[in-house]
Amino acid sequence: NAGVMQNPRHLVRRRGQEARLRCSPMKGHSHVYWYRQLPEEGLKFMVYLQKENIIDESGMPKERFSAEFPKEGPSILRIQQVVRGDSAAYFCASSPRDRAMLDTEAFFGQGTRLTVV
Amino acid sequence: DAKTTQPPSMDCAEGRAANLPCNHSTISGNEYVYWYRQIHSQGPQYIIHGLKNNETNEMASLIITEDRKSSTLILPHATLRDTAVYYCIVRVRGETSGSRLTFGEGTQLTVNP
């Protein structure tokens, strides 16, 4: 797990502000997945990205949420005009190739805990 | 992906084997059984996976019934650090749509001293 770096670990935002969550995949990994875990719930898939491409965003809310994974730099999950219901833990995972199941070839980061006040 | 059913919670004494059941009666022939765990406030951790044969690694053993409708994750000698939520997931391996996983509610395993 230590190989996937997420920052910040904790983020506090006031309602209406923007939240930017960053995920640096493991070295050599070109596929990134974002998951959200609401309080007392299981993880829910949000989006799957490869470098410069969004492959599957079926789990992303239709408004205010966006994700990118540029050619250089970390993947960014952006939440505009945050509301209290966005308070959750956001996890990123990475894998080296698209056909790799999330097993030994993919790893999760420690997450970013977003609190909206 | 097939739906799974797990007990919400289980207890186990430290040093004893922890046997975590999972029902997946609608599993398809090409779906694998995966187990992950999430220790409090950490990211999920892969444990083991299998198709139809029993599997063992340094962390656990996976026993899949012959009809593949259920499986059991076995932690042979549970320690306090094994206290976590354990997720059983079934899905097709290597889908080109991406390796996203569908996490259910899982089983909260508490290992007691």
Side-chain angles (χ1 to χ4, degrees):
Chain A
N1 282 354
V4 179
M5 303 303 295
Q6 290 188 247
N7 65 82
R9 291 293 308 277
H10 300 275
L11 180 63
V12 179
R13 284 288 178 265
R14 295 185 183 278
R15 283 177 294 172
Q17 291 185 320
E18 177 181 288
R20 293 172 70 87
L21 288 63
R22 288 176 291 278
C23 170
S24 296
M26 287 186 67
K27 186 177 181 180
H29 287 193
S30 57
H31 302 266
V32 166
Y33 316 84
W34 285 93
Y35 287 77
R36 177 168 66 174
Q37 186 170 32
L38 295 169
E40 307 303 322
E41 294 187 15
L43 287 90
K44 306 294 184 188
F45 167 79
M46 298 181 75
V47 62
Y48 162 40
L49 310 101
Q50 296 178 21
K51 286 284 188 179
E52 301 184 279
N53 287 302
I54 296 175
I55 305 303
D56 180 357
E57 55 181 349
S58 58
M60 286 278 273
K62 299 300 182 189
E63 298 178 347
R64 302 187 296 107
F65 285 72
S66 63
E68 64 177 9
F69 189 17
K71 185 176 181 180
E72 302 292 336
S75 175
I76 305 290
L77 180 67
R78 181 183 179 200
I79 311 172
Q80 295 178 289
Q81 299 177 311
V82 296
V83 300
R84 288 220 172 113
D86 297 332
S87 295
Y90 293 82
F91 292 96
C92 165
S94 73
S95 69
R97 51 194 170 96
D98 61 352
R99 295 187 72 85
M101 282 301 300
L102 284 184
D103 50 21
T104 55
E105 294 178 320
F107 302 90
F108 281 84
Q110 293 300 299
T112 293
R113 277 143 191 86
L114 172 66
T115 302
V116 180
V117 298
Chain B
D1 298 339
K3 178 179 172 58
T4 62
T5 304
Q6 299 178 251
S9 63
M10 292 184 65
D11 285 279
C12 177
E14 187 177 19
R16 303 296 295 270
N19 299 298
L20 292 92
C22 179
N23 287 319
H24 31 80
S25 59
T26 60
I27 192 170
S28 301
N30 60 347
E31 287 183 312
Y32 284 70
V33 180
Y34 282 75
W35 283 85
Y36 286 78
R37 72 180 182 184
Q38 186 176 23
I39 297 171
H40 183 61
S41 299
Q42 297 184 22
Q45 177 188 23
Y46 164 81
I47 301 173
I48 199 167
H49 74 281
L51 181 63
K52 55 183 178 180
N53 297 320
N54 298 337
E55 302 287 345
T56 296
N57 62 20
E58 64 278 3
M59 289 184 68
S61 295
L62 173 60
I63 308 298
I64 302 174
T65 58
E66 190 169 345
D67 63 7
R68 302 208 325 122
K69 294 184 184 299
S70 65
S71 60
T72 300
L73 177 74
I74 301 173
L75 308 179
H77 304 287
T79 69
L80 299 179
R81 289 175 295 179
D82 292 322
T83 293
V85 178
Y86 288 77
Y87 297 99
C88 169
I89 300 166
V90 294
R91 72 180 307 274
V92 176
R93 190 177 188 189
E95 292 182 342
T96 54
S97 61
S99 301
R100 65 185 179 92
L101 297 170
T102 301
F103 289 84
E105 299 304 313
T107 295
Q108 170 66 58
L109 174 68
T110 302
V111 180
N112 301 304

